[in-house]
Amino acid sequence: MKAAGRSARTRLRDRVAASDPGLLRLTAGLRTVGAIALTLGVLALFGVDVKHLVAGAMAAMVATFAIREKEPVPQAVTLALGLPVALASVSLSTLLTSWVVVGDAFFVVLIFSAVFVRRFGDRGTALGLIGFQVYFVSLFVGAKVSGLPGLWAAVAVAFASSAVVRFGVVPATPTRILSLLRQAFRARLAQLIATQLDLLDAGPDDIDKTLERLRDGTARLHETALMIQSRLDEGTPDASTARLVQRRIADAEIAAERLGLLLLTARSAERADTLTLHLPGAPAPAVGRSPAPGEATETLRRDLTALRTLVLRPPAEARGTALSHLRNRLLGYRDEENLPEATAAVQDVFRGIGETARAVMGLRIALDGPQDESDDSPATARSREELDAEDAAIDAGEEAAEEEQTGLRRPTTRAAVQVAVGSSLAIVGGEFLSSQRWYWAVLTCWIVFINTASTGEILVKGYRRLLGTVLGVVAGIVLAGLVGNHTWTAFGLVLVLIFAMFYTAPLSYTLMSFFVTAMLGLLYTLLHTYSLSVLLLRVEETALGAACGIVAAALVLPIRTDRRTNELLGTVLERLTDVTEGAVDQLSGGPEADLLDTARELDQALGDLRAATQPLTHPITPLRARRDTAQYVVALLETCAYHARSLAATAELLPTHPSIAADPRLRGAVRRTVRNIEAIAAHVADESAATQVETGPSIASLLEPDTAAGIPRYGRITGRVLRHLERLDEAVVGLARPLGVSVRAPQR
């Protein structure tokens, strides 16, 4: 019974870890709710009125979510600096209430400054956010000069409560967050392998749904890998450890994605295209009932289940148990003589299982330390020796500094000017709608500019906020009617809605806006200012603020969506060239390079591009052909990035792996691919540029035997390297058509 209970708890923990990597959303929600609850409790002990309770609750929320730093000490410094900023902001807001024109002008200056100081990093962003939001809190509660001392006390209690909850009740050190993220990576890796197991048995009727789950699982695993990479510097004791973890995470991700592709190929009548794993809605290949005769299929099913077990079970259970035997059997598939009798495609799947098991063992060693070796088979011992040799070769590299833009070209300066103009329009328009609650329009205008960089992104965010607000108004009406005059019941529901707001914020901006508006309906009830007309006015002010933000973004120093996506596309192509050239140069015998960091920069650039294309791929966009083109281009680039990452991972094995040796012929074979990437980048930068993409014979056919040097056609370069080079070449040529670059056939 105890074992069963522990197993159930473990499964629940893994599901939670996979759904919320690092428990970041849960931590944000608990911290905010805890800070607000503690603030309300302290203020209630002193018998303050409802207005100050609301002000304290909102200030606690601001003090909690505004802090962005990852280390506790910088967080404490920012929180300490935030208190005087908040006190000054609430004081100026209250003092300038009767001076309408001066107050509005100062509010615009404050908004400009709050965005402008983002150039100073997380601390500048946090202090600017605190200054703006606390000014808004003062307007919301209708603060008076006579009530300033009580308001100061409420704000001070809010900041103190936020500190207590952040550092005492719900602490989250970088090391702990990284540990939770690694747990999430394992859980998501196990989920992906489970989906691959479903793919093995999927029939023609359910292959499309299974393939969609496979795409989602692959994307979720990659998302978690990027989250881990972004926190390695703070969460690991030294640079070498960070690089080791980064290396093993990348190995496991690449191996799992390759295994999915090999399974799909084994289920298909022909070789599966890598693009199928990256393009949403891509048609599934025709599949049969079974990829192999019954015995081979049963063995595949057994070994995929064993691989999933190997990912999830703690390393302490490996010694002297069936788990060590599972590991030894799976690693044995790295030797040709241990492959079962099956078709070539199915044998490739077994090889993929062996390589994934090796990656999982490397991940365990990197995350959990040295493992017991007493039960090692020869294949396991050899894999362990390879991993040890790779670990010894790891050395920290240096990151190159990026060129910083200045003047109005600087994103923070441009955004500050845009939001100041938009807020000015929102103030004027908001005053016409309501002289008392015009600030809602300003708040919406401010919010649609946060984390957006183009007119299209602002348009989509404004639409989502308006939709969430409309739905939240309906919920607010219902909740206000249910709560009535029960103050603490209303505060309890406010806490629930705030937790839901922070927990869903990274998932859906519409949902977050819904919970915010429903919460505000309850706050209006507490302040005895609730009415249907007030909630409808909020919808009108929200629509006005969103419109003002869109107008400012479109007319003042605009960054068109096409321009931004082209800039980011150029960056992705540049990073793709760097990774490809660096990997092939090392595989050709060149000096060792920092390929892991280069591949990470490619992933980050691709993530930025994916986010920037959301306005083009949004379901409501009327330009269907443009949406399909954007999705196709991003999917092709993800395919290119996968093959480039795989090449980089293989190149880093070169100094230590016995089956891989440098082959100088690869440099010449990949030149066409690099020229094609550069040609596409030149066309993206200048559509009038006369560039062409070349096609030609396969990469493998370009590796002519070098009889003088005694090198046969393929030397000791594995077929995997050639396959990645060929698929990368095909994907790059595929980019030409949707981007309008002409393709030149080879001369005969």
Side-chain angles (χ1 to χ4, degrees):
M1 291 296 293
K2 289 183 178 180
R6 184 168 59 251
S7 178
R9 288 195 300 271
T10 301
R11 288 196 297 271
L12 177 61
R13 182 195 63 192
D14 290 338
R15 281 197 291 268
V16 172
S19 64
D20 181 15
L23 301 184
L24 297 178
R25 291 185 285 122
L26 179 64
T27 299
L30 291 177
R31 276 180 171 175
T32 307
V33 169
I36 294 173
L38 182 57
T39 301
L40 292 176
V42 172
L43 292 177
L45 289 176
F46 290 94
V48 303
D49 58 21
V50 172
K51 179 183 293 187
H52 288 87
L53 287 174
V54 171
M58 296 183 73
M61 182 172 65
V62 173
T64 304
F65 78 74
I67 308 301
R68 305 284 186 91
E69 287 95 344
K70 298 173 183 176
E71 296 279 0
V73 173
Q75 290 176 5
V77 172
T78 302
L79 197 58
L81 293 175
L83 179 57
V85 170
L87 295 176
S89 181
V90 73
S91 301
L92 288 169
S93 174
T94 304
L95 293 172
L96 296 175
T97 299
S98 58
W99 303 49
V100 178
V101 176
V102 176
D104 290 349
F106 176 78
F107 200 14
V108 172
V109 172
L110 176 63
I111 290 170
F112 175 89
S113 302
V115 177
F116 185 81
V117 295
R118 291 182 187 176
R119 69 175 58 192
F120 301 112
D122 290 338
R123 180 163 297 157
T125 301
L127 295 179
L129 191 58
I130 289 171
F132 170 82
Q133 292 285 5
V134 173
Y135 195 100
F136 168 82
V137 168
S138 176
L139 295 173
F140 179 78
V141 300
K144 304 296 183 182
V145 175
S146 58
L148 262 182
L151 207 54
W152 290 337
V155 171
V157 169
F159 272 73
S161 300
S162 178
V164 169
V165 173
R166 174 179 293 274
F167 302 115
V169 182
V170 191
T173 63
T175 302
R176 172 171 168 73
I177 292 175
L178 184 58
S179 175
L180 292 171
L181 283 173
R182 297 187 312 215
Q183 179 183 336
F185 184 86
R186 284 172 168 163
R188 286 190 167 183
L189 178 56
Q191 288 180 345
L192 180 58
I193 295 172
T195 305
Q196 292 169 349
L197 186 60
D198 293 339
L199 179 65
L200 179 65
D201 297 320
D205 296 335
D206 52 3
I207 184 66
D208 285 315
K209 291 183 179 178
T210 305
L211 185 56
E212 191 61 37
R213 287 169 48 215
L214 187 66
R215 293 191 193 104
D216 290 342
T218 302
R220 282 158 59 87
L221 186 67
H222 183 59
E223 174 194 31
T224 311
L226 291 179
M227 293 174 70
I228 290 173
Q229 291 176 2
S230 69
R231 292 179 177 270
L232 283 174
D233 292 340
E234 296 85 5
T236 51
D238 52 61
S240 294
T241 303
R243 285 182 56 76
L244 174 60
V245 174
Q246 182 181 0
R247 168 77 163 272
R248 296 305 171 214
I249 290 290
D251 287 346
E253 180 194 356
I254 292 169
E257 188 167 357
R258 182 186 298 120
L259 179 58
L261 184 62
L262 293 173
L263 268 169
L264 189 59
T265 299
R267 294 299 321 269
S268 310
E270 56 187 15
R271 177 181 60 82
D273 194 329
T274 317
L275 180 63
T276 307
L277 290 181
H278 300 131
L279 181 61
V287 299
R289 282 293 177 183
S290 174
E295 185 177 348
T297 301
E298 286 302 318
T299 304
L300 272 179
R301 186 178 296 110
R302 178 200 66 182
D303 289 337
L304 285 170
T305 303
L307 181 61
R308 182 175 179 274
T309 302
L310 197 65
V311 171
L312 289 176
R313 295 288 287 276
E317 298 182 16
R319 182 179 179 182
T321 67
L323 192 63
S324 62
H325 300 299
L326 294 180
R327 178 199 63 199
N328 293 341
R329 186 182 74 239
L330 299 184
L331 288 171
Y333 291 141
R334 302 184 65 220
D335 295 330
E336 294 294 316
E337 62 268 19
N338 293 328
L339 295 175
E341 291 290 336
T343 63
V346 173
Q347 284 191 333
D348 279 342
V349 178
F350 282 109
R351 292 187 186 96
I353 290 175
E355 292 301 325
T356 306
R358 178 190 185 274
V360 170
M361 186 171 73
L363 189 62
R364 280 191 177 280
I365 294 172
L367 301 185
D368 303 316
Q371 310 293 303
D372 181 78
E373 304 177 16
S374 59
D375 296 321
D376 281 3
S377 67
T380 302
R382 189 178 66 256
S383 297
R384 198 183 298 278
E385 289 171 0
E386 293 171 1
L387 292 168
D388 290 342
E390 293 167 18
D391 296 348
I394 289 178
D395 187 22
E398 296 182 0
E399 296 185 4
E402 296 184 1
E403 181 181 356
E404 187 176 7
Q405 295 178 329
T406 58
L408 292 177
R409 294 175 57 203
R410 189 194 298 265
T412 51
T413 305
R414 182 179 61 250
V417 173
Q418 288 177 323
V419 74
V421 173
S423 298
S424 299
L425 296 175
I427 289 174
V428 174
E431 290 278 6
F432 279 108
L433 289 177
S434 171
S435 60
Q436 299 297 319
R437 294 183 174 84
W438 52 269
Y439 45 79
W440 286 120
V442 181
L443 180 67
T444 300
C445 181
W446 156 278
I447 287 177
V448 297
F449 274 96
I450 294 177
N451 296 326
T452 54
S454 70
T455 306
E457 291 179 57
I458 291 172
L459 177 62
V460 170
K461 193 169 185 180
Y463 152 76
R464 288 173 175 167
R465 182 166 184 83
L466 181 59
L467 177 61
T469 299
V470 171
L471 297 175
V473 162
V474 176
I477 293 172
V478 174
L479 291 175
L482 292 175
V483 169
N485 295 321
H486 297 83
T487 300
W488 291 107
T489 302
F491 271 124
L493 284 175
V494 164
L495 292 178
V496 172
L497 292 172
I498 288 175
F499 177 84
M501 175 180 71
F502 280 92
Y503 195 78
T504 60
L507 303 178
S508 171
Y509 187 71
T510 301
L511 266 180
M512 187 198 76
S513 300
F514 165 80
F515 289 122
V516 169
T517 304
M519 175 197 69
L520 290 172
L522 291 174
L523 292 182
Y524 280 132
T525 302
L526 291 169
L527 294 171
H528 304 294
T529 56
Y530 168 80
S531 68
L532 179 60
S533 60
V534 168
L535 292 180
L536 293 178
L537 177 63
R538 170 157 167 72
V539 175
E540 295 172 352
E541 296 280 5
T542 299
L544 175 65
C548 291
I550 293 168
V551 168
L555 300 181
V556 181
L557 305 175
I559 295 293
R560 308 295 181 192
T561 302
D562 286 346
R563 175 185 165 190
R564 174 159 174 77
T565 53
N566 282 347
E567 290 176 351
L568 294 174
L569 176 56
T571 302
V572 172
L573 293 171
E574 182 182 344
R575 299 290 183 267
L576 179 62
T577 301
D578 293 341
V579 177
T580 304
E581 284 190 318
V584 172
D585 186 60
Q586 191 162 320
L587 287 166
S588 302
E592 294 184 27
D594 195 356
L595 298 178
L596 283 177
D597 284 343
T598 307
R600 176 182 172 182
E601 290 171 1
L602 170 61
D603 287 332
Q604 290 173 335
L606 186 54
D608 292 340
L609 176 64
R610 192 184 302 109
T613 57
Q614 286 185 359
L616 305 178
T617 59
H618 196 275
I620 68 169
T621 180
L623 305 174
R624 302 298 181 183
R626 192 181 182 193
R627 180 191 65 185
D628 294 342
T629 298
Q631 287 180 334
Y632 183 65
V633 168
V634 171
L636 274 173
L637 288 169
E638 288 177 345
T639 296
C640 291
Y642 161 68
H643 291 297
R645 284 197 306 269
S646 300
L647 287 171
T650 305
E652 292 221 336
L653 296 176
L654 189 62
T656 58
H657 205 288
S659 64
I660 302 177
D663 191 331
R665 296 171 297 174
L666 283 175
R667 281 198 186 93
V670 82
R671 282 174 188 162
R672 183 183 69 206
T673 305
V674 173
R675 285 198 303 268
N676 286 342
I677 298 174
E678 292 172 345
I680 294 172
H683 178 81
V684 169
D686 181 7
E687 293 186 359
S688 62
T691 60
Q692 287 185 319
V693 165
E694 303 175 18
T695 60
S698 68
I699 298 295
S701 67
L702 297 177
L703 296 184
E704 294 298 331
D706 189 344
T707 56
I711 301 177
R713 174 177 289 274
Y714 296 122
R716 293 170 66 198
I717 293 294
T718 63
R720 180 189 304 170
V721 171
L722 292 176
R723 285 196 295 270
H724 285 306
L725 287 172
E726 289 177 350
R727 305 301 173 261
L728 176 61
D729 187 64
E730 293 169 1
V732 170
V733 173
L735 281 169
R737 181 183 59 81
L739 294 177
V741 183
S742 61
V743 179
R744 183 178 64 192
Q747 297 289 335
R748 293 189 178 181

